[in-house]
Amino acid sequence: MSDDAWQGMLFGATTVENEANQDGPVDELRVCALNVNSPNPSRAQRIVNWLLATKSNTLVLTEMQPSEGGRHILAGLQAEGFTTTCTPGWRDARYFATVAARGITAVSVKPAGFDPRVVAADLTNDTTTVRLVGLYGPTNGMTAESSSRRREFQGRFLQYLAEISTSALCVVGDLNVVEPDHRPHLPAFEDHDYAFYSRLLAAGLRDAYRELNPAGGDHSWINPRFGSQRLDHTLISAAAGDIHTCAYDHATRSEDLSDHAALLTTIKLRGATAAANGQPAM
């Protein structure tokens, strides 16, 4: 089916109000990050309906595939007023990541030439711009080849991030790594995996979940054989805004939409806060 045909599809009616039609400036990013687990068209439509019900204005979707299901999600979100951003080459990729935004201007950033698993967009309201980078890291296959592939990808991503870095920055998605003191301890992860997470924090990013939950033990991927893992992250710089909420929603797992929990984060934009107080935007 052609892209135009997908664009013209009619999707199930929802009761969710279209954020793009609301009056007034957007003063916060309501970010939903979800690994969609390569859905077929039927599950893809259920995922679209669930995403709309969260009333998020920013979506970061990982483990997308250029299949019927992946294209269905893109067309469904576009039909609901979302601007979707994918890295060039996504149609020929095995996996890709997508950033979707509604009610806030989204402009694609210089793409990561090495893999459509990485996507970046500038999100702009009346007072500020946040650069959001969506990331789907390679899965830990627990083999030497998998380790080498992850190490190379992580190095190239850090190089790309340094090239496009700006003060107001977010890195969001299924990074497929855990924090160094993750509980339970997961011996399948290697030093370079922990270093990747640590280097992102060293670059000035804050782990939104950990900042609000210093002793939190939630996980986003539950597996009795390989150990429950907190693989999905929202990392933000101080200049991007204030973290108001950040929590994992396991409805996506319990409703068989994905094998991952969604990560819902609310970020109060710094520029919007300053403008509301009569101050110039940063």
mmCIF file of all heavy atoms in Angstrom, residues 138-161:
data_model
loop_
_atom_site.group_PDB
_atom_site.id
_atom_site.type_symbol
_atom_site.label_atom_id
_atom_site.label_comp_id
_atom_site.label_asym_id
_atom_site.label_seq_id
_atom_site.Cartn_x
_atom_site.Cartn_y
_atom_site.Cartn_z
ATOM 1 N N PRO A 138 20.567 -1.038 20.704
ATOM 2 C CA PRO A 138 20.578 -2.459 20.349
ATOM 3 C C PRO A 138 20.332 -3.339 21.570
ATOM 4 O O PRO A 138 20.824 -3.065 22.665
ATOM 5 C CB PRO A 138 21.978 -2.677 19.780
ATOM 6 C CG PRO A 138 22.435 -1.322 19.353
ATOM 7 C CD PRO A 138 21.821 -0.365 20.326
ATOM 8 N N THR A 139 19.587 -4.407 21.363
ATOM 9 C CA THR A 139 19.263 -5.332 22.435
ATOM 10 C C THR A 139 20.496 -6.102 22.894
ATOM 11 O O THR A 139 21.383 -6.418 22.102
ATOM 12 C CB THR A 139 18.194 -6.337 21.954
ATOM 13 O OG1 THR A 139 17.048 -5.614 21.524
ATOM 14 C CG2 THR A 139 17.800 -7.294 23.053
ATOM 15 N N ASN A 140 20.534 -6.389 24.184
ATOM 16 C CA ASN A 140 21.613 -7.192 24.735
ATOM 17 C C ASN A 140 21.357 -8.660 24.401
ATOM 18 O O ASN A 140 20.506 -9.316 25.004
ATOM 19 C CB ASN A 140 21.689 -6.998 26.254
ATOM 20 C CG ASN A 140 22.875 -7.702 26.878
ATOM 21 O OD1 ASN A 140 23.513 -8.546 26.258
ATOM 22 N ND2 ASN A 140 23.167 -7.348 28.113
ATOM 23 N N GLY A 141 22.082 -9.186 23.421
ATOM 24 C CA GLY A 141 21.915 -10.573 23.018
ATOM 25 C C GLY A 141 22.759 -11.549 23.811
ATOM 26 O O GLY A 141 22.736 -12.749 23.542
ATOM 27 N N MET A 142 23.529 -11.007 24.782
ATOM 28 C CA MET A 142 24.346 -11.839 25.681
ATOM 29 C C MET A 142 25.343 -12.704 24.924
ATOM 30 O O MET A 142 25.582 -13.866 25.253
ATOM 31 C CB MET A 142 23.455 -12.678 26.601
ATOM 32 C CG MET A 142 22.679 -11.823 27.586
ATOM 33 S SD MET A 142 21.541 -12.758 28.630
ATOM 34 C CE MET A 142 20.269 -13.153 27.437
ATOM 35 N N THR A 143 25.902 -12.146 23.848
ATOM 36 C CA THR A 143 26.962 -12.810 23.094
ATOM 37 C C THR A 143 28.086 -11.803 22.855
ATOM 38 O O THR A 143 27.888 -10.587 22.998
ATOM 39 C CB THR A 143 26.460 -13.309 21.731
ATOM 40 O OG1 THR A 143 26.089 -12.175 20.925
ATOM 41 C CG2 THR A 143 25.262 -14.240 21.887
ATOM 42 N N ALA A 144 29.238 -12.294 22.482
ATOM 43 C CA ALA A 144 30.363 -11.404 22.190
ATOM 44 C C ALA A 144 30.032 -10.492 21.017
ATOM 45 O O ALA A 144 30.392 -9.306 21.006
ATOM 46 C CB ALA A 144 31.614 -12.233 21.899
ATOM 47 N N GLU A 145 29.348 -11.033 20.007
ATOM 48 C CA GLU A 145 28.972 -10.222 18.844
ATOM 49 C C GLU A 145 27.999 -9.123 19.256
ATOM 50 O O GLU A 145 28.104 -7.979 18.807
ATOM 51 C CB GLU A 145 28.348 -11.123 17.776
ATOM 52 C CG GLU A 145 28.136 -10.462 16.429
ATOM 53 C CD GLU A 145 26.849 -9.653 16.351
ATOM 54 O OE1 GLU A 145 25.901 -9.999 17.078
ATOM 55 O OE2 GLU A 145 26.806 -8.682 15.563
ATOM 56 N N SER A 146 27.047 -9.455 20.112
ATOM 57 C CA SER A 146 26.088 -8.460 20.598
ATOM 58 C C SER A 146 26.804 -7.374 21.379
ATOM 59 O O SER A 146 26.511 -6.189 21.228
ATOM 60 C CB SER A 146 25.037 -9.135 21.472
ATOM 61 O OG SER A 146 24.242 -8.174 22.141
ATOM 62 N N SER A 147 27.737 -7.752 22.208
ATOM 63 C CA SER A 147 28.484 -6.776 22.999
ATOM 64 C C SER A 147 29.261 -5.824 22.099
ATOM 65 O O SER A 147 29.264 -4.610 22.312
ATOM 66 C CB SER A 147 29.436 -7.492 23.961
ATOM 67 O OG SER A 147 30.206 -6.559 24.686
ATOM 68 N N SER A 148 29.919 -6.372 21.081
ATOM 69 C CA SER A 148 30.679 -5.537 20.152
ATOM 70 C C SER A 148 29.763 -4.575 19.406
ATOM 71 O O SER A 148 30.095 -3.391 19.230
ATOM 72 C CB SER A 148 31.436 -6.423 19.162
ATOM 73 O OG SER A 148 32.119 -5.648 18.205
ATOM 74 N N ARG A 149 28.604 -5.067 18.983
ATOM 75 C CA ARG A 149 27.651 -4.230 18.258
ATOM 76 C C ARG A 149 27.127 -3.103 19.148
ATOM 77 O O ARG A 149 27.016 -1.958 18.717
ATOM 78 C CB ARG A 149 26.500 -5.092 17.748
ATOM 79 C CG ARG A 149 25.498 -4.327 16.881
ATOM 80 C CD ARG A 149 24.431 -5.240 16.307
ATOM 81 N NE ARG A 149 23.568 -5.816 17.346
ATOM 82 C CZ ARG A 149 23.590 -7.079 17.716
ATOM 83 N NH1 ARG A 149 24.439 -7.935 17.167
ATOM 84 N NH2 ARG A 149 22.771 -7.526 18.655
ATOM 85 N N ARG A 150 26.812 -3.430 20.406
ATOM 86 C CA ARG A 150 26.318 -2.408 21.325
ATOM 87 C C ARG A 150 27.390 -1.365 21.606
ATOM 88 O O ARG A 150 27.120 -0.163 21.637
ATOM 89 C CB ARG A 150 25.854 -3.038 22.642
ATOM 90 C CG ARG A 150 24.647 -3.944 22.523
ATOM 91 C CD ARG A 150 24.004 -4.232 23.870
ATOM 92 N NE ARG A 150 24.926 -4.537 24.937
ATOM 93 C CZ ARG A 150 25.485 -5.710 25.167
ATOM 94 N NH1 ARG A 150 25.250 -6.721 24.337
ATOM 95 N NH2 ARG A 150 26.296 -5.898 26.200
ATOM 96 N N ARG A 151 28.630 -1.829 21.824
ATOM 97 C CA ARG A 151 29.712 -0.896 22.128
ATOM 98 C C ARG A 151 29.920 0.087 20.981
ATOM 99 O O ARG A 151 30.066 1.301 21.204
ATOM 100 C CB ARG A 151 31.006 -1.658 22.405
ATOM 101 C CG ARG A 151 32.161 -0.746 22.810
ATOM 102 C CD ARG A 151 33.475 -1.501 22.897
ATOM 103 N NE ARG A 151 33.466 -2.499 23.950
ATOM 104 C CZ ARG A 151 33.437 -3.811 23.732
ATOM 105 N NH1 ARG A 151 33.391 -4.287 22.481
ATOM 106 N NH2 ARG A 151 33.452 -4.651 24.731
ATOM 107 N N GLU A 152 29.923 -0.415 19.750
ATOM 108 C CA GLU A 152 30.113 0.470 18.597
ATOM 109 C C GLU A 152 28.962 1.460 18.477
ATOM 110 O O GLU A 152 29.178 2.655 18.254
ATOM 111 C CB GLU A 152 30.226 -0.346 17.317
ATOM 112 C CG GLU A 152 30.412 0.513 16.076
ATOM 113 C CD GLU A 152 30.468 -0.296 14.795
ATOM 114 O OE1 GLU A 152 30.326 -1.526 14.848
ATOM 115 O OE2 GLU A 152 30.639 0.327 13.721
ATOM 116 N N PHE A 153 27.737 0.970 18.632
ATOM 117 C CA PHE A 153 26.569 1.850 18.532
ATOM 118 C C PHE A 153 26.619 2.921 19.622
ATOM 119 O O PHE A 153 26.371 4.109 19.345
ATOM 120 C CB PHE A 153 25.289 1.027 18.669
ATOM 121 C CG PHE A 153 24.023 1.835 18.610
ATOM 122 C CD1 PHE A 153 23.336 1.997 17.412
ATOM 123 C CD2 PHE A 153 23.511 2.442 19.753
ATOM 124 C CE1 PHE A 153 22.169 2.749 17.359
ATOM 125 C CE2 PHE A 153 22.344 3.201 19.712
ATOM 126 C CZ PHE A 153 21.675 3.351 18.511
ATOM 127 N N GLN A 154 26.918 2.538 20.838
ATOM 128 C CA GLN A 154 26.959 3.496 21.943
ATOM 129 C C GLN A 154 28.004 4.573 21.704
ATOM 130 O O GLN A 154 27.762 5.765 21.949
ATOM 131 C CB GLN A 154 27.228 2.748 23.253
ATOM 132 C CG GLN A 154 26.077 1.856 23.693
ATOM 133 C CD GLN A 154 26.486 0.775 24.673
ATOM 134 O OE1 GLN A 154 27.663 0.673 25.070
ATOM 135 N NE2 GLN A 154 25.540 -0.049 25.083
ATOM 136 N N GLY A 155 29.159 4.177 21.194
ATOM 137 C CA GLY A 155 30.202 5.160 20.897
ATOM 138 C C GLY A 155 29.776 6.133 19.814
ATOM 139 O O GLY A 155 30.011 7.346 19.924
ATOM 140 N N ARG A 156 29.141 5.628 18.771
ATOM 141 C CA ARG A 156 28.709 6.497 17.678
ATOM 142 C C ARG A 156 27.582 7.418 18.140
ATOM 143 O O ARG A 156 27.506 8.580 17.716
ATOM 144 C CB ARG A 156 28.275 5.661 16.480
ATOM 145 C CG ARG A 156 29.407 4.833 15.890
ATOM 146 C CD ARG A 156 29.009 4.090 14.641
ATOM 147 N NE ARG A 156 28.933 4.995 13.491
ATOM 148 C CZ ARG A 156 28.751 4.604 12.244
ATOM 149 N NH1 ARG A 156 28.624 3.303 11.980
ATOM 150 N NH2 ARG A 156 28.697 5.461 11.262
ATOM 151 N N PHE A 157 26.715 6.910 19.000
ATOM 152 C CA PHE A 157 25.646 7.767 19.507
ATOM 153 C C PHE A 157 26.217 8.907 20.349
ATOM 154 O O PHE A 157 25.789 10.065 20.206
ATOM 155 C CB PHE A 157 24.650 6.966 20.335
ATOM 156 C CG PHE A 157 23.558 7.829 20.920
ATOM 157 C CD1 PHE A 157 22.476 8.220 20.142
ATOM 158 C CD2 PHE A 157 23.630 8.282 22.230
ATOM 159 C CE1 PHE A 157 21.482 9.045 20.658
ATOM 160 C CE2 PHE A 157 22.643 9.098 22.761
ATOM 161 C CZ PHE A 157 21.555 9.484 21.972
ATOM 162 N N LEU A 158 27.159 8.611 21.222
ATOM 163 C CA LEU A 158 27.743 9.663 22.055
ATOM 164 C C LEU A 158 28.431 10.716 21.193
ATOM 165 O O LEU A 158 28.374 11.920 21.487
ATOM 166 C CB LEU A 158 28.726 9.056 23.051
ATOM 167 C CG LEU A 158 28.084 8.216 24.174
ATOM 168 C CD1 LEU A 158 29.163 7.452 24.934
ATOM 169 C CD2 LEU A 158 27.279 9.107 25.123
ATOM 170 N N GLN A 159 29.078 10.281 20.110
ATOM 171 C CA GLN A 159 29.709 11.228 19.188
ATOM 172 C C GLN A 159 28.648 12.100 18.515
ATOM 173 O O GLN A 159 28.801 13.325 18.400
ATOM 174 C CB GLN A 159 30.527 10.480 18.144
ATOM 175 C CG GLN A 159 31.243 11.383 17.149
ATOM 176 C CD GLN A 159 32.065 10.601 16.143
ATOM 177 O OE1 GLN A 159 32.105 9.374 16.156
ATOM 178 N NE2 GLN A 159 32.737 11.309 15.245
ATOM 179 N N TYR A 160 27.565 11.468 18.062
ATOM 180 C CA TYR A 160 26.473 12.222 17.427
ATOM 181 C C TYR A 160 25.856 13.212 18.412
ATOM 182 O O TYR A 160 25.605 14.375 18.061
ATOM 183 C CB TYR A 160 25.410 11.254 16.922
ATOM 184 C CG TYR A 160 24.124 11.905 16.465
ATOM 185 C CD1 TYR A 160 24.080 12.659 15.301
ATOM 186 C CD2 TYR A 160 22.950 11.765 17.213
ATOM 187 C CE1 TYR A 160 22.902 13.257 14.876
ATOM 188 C CE2 TYR A 160 21.773 12.357 16.794
ATOM 189 C CZ TYR A 160 21.747 13.105 15.637
ATOM 190 O OH TYR A 160 20.579 13.700 15.214
ATOM 191 N N LEU A 161 25.638 12.768 19.642
ATOM 192 C CA LEU A 161 25.034 13.649 20.636
ATOM 193 C C LEU A 161 25.917 14.859 20.894
ATOM 194 O O LEU A 161 25.415 15.982 21.050
ATOM 195 C CB LEU A 161 24.793 12.873 21.933
ATOM 196 C CG LEU A 161 23.881 13.554 22.957
ATOM 197 C CD1 LEU A 161 22.464 13.688 22.412
ATOM 198 C CD2 LEU A 161 23.867 12.766 24.263
#
